[in-house]
Amino acid sequence: MKWLFFDLDDTIWNFSANSAISLRKLYAISPILRKLFKTEEEFIDIYHENNSLLWDLYAKGKVTTEELKRERWRRTLATRQFEVLTAVCEELETTYLDILAEGTEKFQGMEEMLGELTKHCLIAVLSNGFSKTQYKKLQFSGLGKYITRTIVSEEIGINKPDIKLFEYAIQETGATPPFIMIGDHPETDILGALKAGWHAIWMNLKGRVFPFTPQALEERGINPSLYIGSATNVEELRKLLSETVTKI
């Protein structure tokens, strides 16, 4: 059977919705956060700013997993001139991830689409997330039953967009070409897959313009025809896959 490779967060699992709920819950139960930040919105905005920066550095291999987990809290609290103790960061991180992992917000139609795909394909998750949390997300959301193989970068020490992770995925699954990656991040998921010689579909939930023109891809030594296109919702993704899987 053909393999399809999906990113997890904001691709098949609604990270944005579940994270927003989790951060609000964390603010509500954390005396430190309520003391330092006047509102949950103020806290969440500053957290997102630091978290996004650190995830970019993580994808580039410039910070470790542990540094990311610690620094996103230390930097957030430090904006309020708070003397940040490592123990405080660890407690916030543990509590947040525990809440997040049990999130059940789903994209409309995603579970049904995955169920349909499993009749014809094997599905793998290829994620840059944290191992324990990613497996729990699949468990609590009920999506895990559709996934044959889950590959998390933390377990092997290689992050997308490194082509070594895509090569590892092929070895682990025994997949044969053509390979198809579906993900929400234009650089780590899509460009990474294209560089590895895979086809790719961008789960483009915000309806943005793809940042790499065909010419820009060619200049990077990438065949532009490998990029299948983007989907702004599950129905568009379903259509792209139905048109693509049988043709390539």
Side-chain angles (χ1 to χ4, degrees):
M1 293 179 73
K2 182 184 293 293
W3 281 87
L4 291 176
F5 295 84
F6 287 83
D7 179 47
L8 181 59
D9 293 331
D10 276 340
T11 300
I12 64 172
W13 190 79
N14 194 339
F15 175 83
S16 295
N18 286 306
S19 177
I21 292 169
S22 301
L23 289 170
R24 288 196 292 270
K25 287 181 178 179
L26 181 65
Y27 180 85
I29 64 175
S30 171
I32 290 176
L33 294 180
R34 294 199 308 276
K35 177 181 179 181
L36 296 178
F37 301 94
K38 294 180 181 179
T39 65
E40 62 183 25
E41 289 80 10
E42 181 183 55
F43 154 63
I44 291 172
D45 286 346
I46 294 173
Y47 169 83
H48 278 318
E49 181 180 342
N50 288 291
N51 187 53
S52 296
L53 173 62
L54 285 159
W55 271 106
D56 286 342
L57 293 174
Y58 181 70
K60 296 173 182 176
K62 294 184 177 181
V63 297
T64 66
T65 299
E66 291 308 313
E67 287 171 335
L68 190 162
K69 291 180 175 181
R70 180 183 66 251
E71 282 297 298
R72 59 184 179 180
W73 300 105
R74 189 194 68 77
R75 294 186 185 189
T76 297
L77 299 181
T79 63
R80 295 301 179 266
Q81 287 75 51
F82 179 73
E83 185 177 350
V84 185
L85 300 176
T86 299
V88 173
C89 296
E90 291 176 348
E91 182 179 355
L92 288 170
E93 176 71 5
T94 299
T95 305
Y96 168 65
L97 290 183
D98 284 345
I99 298 171
L100 179 67
E102 298 183 7
T104 56
E105 290 295 313
K106 300 178 184 180
F107 295 119
Q108 184 175 356
M110 179 59 72
E111 189 164 1
E112 291 79 5
M113 186 196 72
L114 292 176
E116 291 174 8
L117 289 173
T118 57
K119 298 175 183 177
H120 313 286
C121 305
L122 298 173
I123 298 176
V125 162
L126 192 55
S127 170
N128 270 6
F130 307 135
S131 301
K132 180 180 177 182
T133 307
Q134 301 304 72
Y135 288 114
K136 287 179 69 176
K137 289 174 183 175
L138 290 170
Q139 174 190 350
F140 280 95
S141 67
L143 297 176
K145 59 180 172 287
Y146 305 107
I147 310 303
T148 300
R149 182 72 170 88
T150 301
I151 298 171
V152 184
S153 63
E154 184 182 29
E155 295 179 334
I156 57 176
I158 307 171
N159 301 324
K160 294 177 292 184
D162 193 328
I163 63 172
K164 291 179 181 178
L165 186 60
F166 295 92
E167 292 170 348
Y168 177 88
I170 294 170
Q171 294 171 359
E172 282 295 296
T173 59
T176 56
F179 311 109
I180 303 175
M181 178 74 199
I182 303 97
D184 73 297
H185 199 292
E187 293 189 9
T188 58
D189 294 319
I190 307 307
L191 191 61
L194 296 176
K195 284 182 176 180
W198 292 26
H199 291 80
I201 297 175
W202 184 22
M203 192 63 171
N204 181 16
L205 298 171
K206 297 181 180 179
R208 295 172 290 174
V209 175
F210 189 56
F212 305 103
T213 64
Q215 180 181 353
L217 293 177
E218 288 180 340
E219 290 173 354
R220 294 169 180 259
I222 296 170
N223 180 354
S225 68
L226 292 174
Y227 176 60
I228 296 169
S230 70
T232 61
N233 55 53
V234 174
E235 190 54 40
E236 290 183 4
L237 177 59
R238 185 199 302 265
K239 183 178 179 181
L240 274 177
L241 287 171
S242 67
E243 294 173 347
T244 302
V245 172
T246 57
K247 292 181 180 180
I248 63 173

